[in-house]
Amino acid sequence: AQRVTQPEKLLSVFKGAPVELKCNYSYSGSPELFWYVQYSRQRLQLLLRHISRESIKGFTADLNKGETSFHLKKPFAQEEDSAMYYCALNKGSSNTGKLIFGQGTTLQVKP
Amino acid sequence: ETGVTQTPRHLVMGMTNKKSLKCEQHLGHNAMYWYKQSAKKPLELMFVYSLEERVENNSVPSRFSPECPNSSHLFLHLHTLQPEDSALYLCASSPETGRSTGELFFGEGSRLTVL
């Protein structure tokens, strides 16, 4: 079955601390994975995609096929990083938005 | 207005009512989606339209009826809903062409409460 699991509902860290938001997936094909973010009073938006291998706002995520994971990391958290983060798997071809989402993790960065 | 716009933002309806949610995108995209976000559950894909043709119906009950009259507009018609259908309904769009990256552009959602 295709599934995305985010085991933590809430992650609370202090400003300047490292952050790792966990995501594990179950998918029989070649996965295409994304991290979406929703800041307070804003709409859900793409943060980064694994095929780009880019760093956005200091966040990176590496696809580990052996561990079926796509954890989101940032070495030094900032207060403005506080938001809801969703890991998502594209179950269609690369041209579709048929995404399967995890339940989301709330990141709270304390001053 | 740019982006993806959803109306109404909030809707309260009885189980016997008929109402519709509307979504409009000004991004020139070819694909539109309805997602459902319930409390304590992940976002669930409901329907996908590509070039105004429905390409996915994710085992959604028939009391939800989508309509895509053109590539810029998407509706979700609601009829005889149940209280458990109360949720945030999100519309999204994407280019869905050979240049697509799989990125979705979301609206702000329509918060539905069924009494």
Side-chain angles (χ1 to χ4, degrees):
Chain A
Q2 301 157 344
R3 188 169 56 245
V4 175
T5 303
Q6 293 178 250
E8 304 143 326
K9 288 189 69 173
L10 172 66
L11 183 63
S12 186
V13 301
F14 285 100
K15 177 182 172 182
V19 169
E20 183 179 50
L21 296 163
K22 291 184 167 46
C23 172
N24 289 91
Y25 66 90
S26 173
Y27 187 62
S28 57
S30 183
E32 191 172 321
L33 288 149
F34 304 80
W35 277 98
Y36 277 77
V37 62
Q38 188 166 25
Y39 301 102
S40 178
R41 287 185 287 277
Q42 293 188 31
R43 60 190 69 197
L44 192 59
Q45 59 186 290
L46 178 68
L47 179 63
L48 55 79
R49 56 181 76 88
H50 91 268
I51 58 172
S52 300
R53 302 186 66 82
E54 57 197 345
S55 174
I56 303 292
K57 299 184 179 183
F59 284 97
T60 58
D62 291 319
L63 178 61
N64 185 324
K65 292 186 179 180
E67 296 183 358
T68 60
S69 68
F70 186 57
H71 303 326
L72 183 68
K73 300 178 184 178
K74 185 169 182 176
F76 307 104
Q78 303 299 313
E79 289 181 68
E80 55 265 29
D81 296 328
S82 295
M84 187 76 165
Y85 291 82
Y86 295 92
C87 183
L89 168 72
N90 192 347
K91 70 171 187 170
S93 71
S94 60
N95 291 343
T96 74
K98 298 177 185 177
L99 300 182
I100 299 172
F101 284 85
Q103 288 198 269
T105 299
T106 300
L107 175 63
Q108 184 181 76
V109 182
K110 295 177 284 189
Chain B
E1 191 170 348
T2 59
V4 180
T5 305
Q6 290 187 241
T7 54
R9 295 290 311 279
H10 300 273
L11 178 63
V12 179
M13 59 186 289
M15 290 192 284
T16 57
N17 292 158
K18 287 185 182 180
K19 297 286 184 182
S20 296
L21 306 180
K22 179 183 175 183
C23 177
E24 188 173 356
Q25 58 97 0
H26 304 272
L27 300 168
H29 291 166
N30 293 324
M32 296 187 77
Y33 311 78
W34 280 116
Y35 277 85
K36 177 183 178 182
Q37 189 172 31
S38 307
K40 302 179 183 178
K41 292 178 73 174
L43 274 155
E44 299 171 78
L45 178 63
M46 298 177 73
F47 301 104
V48 181
Y49 276 82
S50 175
L51 297 170
E52 301 140 49
E53 182 181 335
R54 192 189 310 180
V55 297
E56 179 108 359
N57 178 349
N58 228 20
S59 302
V60 179
S62 59
R63 57 186 184 268
F64 295 92
S65 175
E67 179 190 1
C68 188
N70 55 62
S71 60
S72 299
H73 293 85
L74 183 66
F75 295 89
L76 187 64
H77 302 301
L78 315 170
H79 178 47
T80 59
L81 295 191
Q82 305 298 311
E84 58 265 29
D85 296 322
S86 298
L88 181 68
Y89 290 85
L90 289 169
C91 175
S93 70
S94 71
E96 196 165 273
T97 65
R99 58 187 171 84
S100 173
T101 58
E103 178 179 0
L104 295 181
F105 293 78
F106 283 91
E108 293 181 289
S110 293
R111 173 73 61 185
L112 173 67
T113 302
V114 182
L115 302 177

